[in-house]
Amino acid sequence: MKQMKPKGRYNIKVAEKHGVHVERYDNFNKIQHTELDDFLALVRKTAARDGFHAHPKSYYTLLLEHFSENNMASLFLAKHKGTVIAGIIVIYFGDTAFYYYGASDHAHRKFMAPYLIQWEAVREAKRRGLKTYDFFGIAPENSKNHPWQTVTDFKKKFGGEVIEFPQAFDIVFQPGWYKLYALKQ
């Protein structure tokens, strides 16, 4: 917590003060489909609000089934008075926990659940003996109008260090097939 920005620590305390609590589900076989449905409802709300694509339920089901077999995934849900108001999926690989997917209900934003849920995920990574918690992407430096800027501001409140990797690109060996592939995207 020492590495966090003061506002990040404050927002965690706000969530706790409002009675937000976080539940973690590690074994997909034990996850009730109502929990996954609650998460998916939040994903759809967040996607509509922030203009990104939400995967179908089968995608998240397969992801959790596959990674939870070896205790490599957790679904975290933040609740306020029994209502799910935020959720994340974290994947564990090697010595790193990856914040893979997240969603929150904008109507409950005053409860600061996304801060508490991330903090609980960081604590779980520490309990597992992992060395790194990867927030999985931020906007490039000095990109004030970048679509990820709001989420970048959120992630940076947790402190840590920014590590840059080269941008991804495609090497095209068969241009005709690639054009068909690109049309489908």
Side-chain angles (χ1 to χ4, degrees), residues 49-100:
R49 179 183 74 225
D50 295 345
F52 68 84
H53 171 76
H55 297 290
K57 181 178 182 176
S58 59
Y59 175 88
Y60 298 102
T61 301
L62 186 61
L63 177 81
L64 289 169
E65 282 176 351
H66 177 74
F67 282 103
S68 69
E69 283 179 13
N70 296 311
N71 200 26
M72 294 174 62
S74 293
L75 171 65
F76 292 82
L77 297 177
K79 298 181 179 182
H80 180 260
K81 296 184 179 178
T83 301
V84 177
I85 60 174
I88 62 173
I89 293 176
V90 176
I91 304 294
Y92 311 104
F93 185 76
D95 63 357
T96 304
F98 296 92
Y99 163 44
Y100 221 67

Side-chain angles (χ1 to χ4, degrees), residues 38-56 60 87 99 101-106 147:
D38 289 340
F39 176 72
L40 291 173
L42 288 175
V43 167
R44 289 183 188 111
K45 281 184 184 180
T46 304
R49 179 183 74 225
D50 295 345
F52 68 84
H53 171 76
H55 297 290
Y60 298 102
Y99 163 44
Y101 292 106
S104 62
D105 189 338
H106 196 64

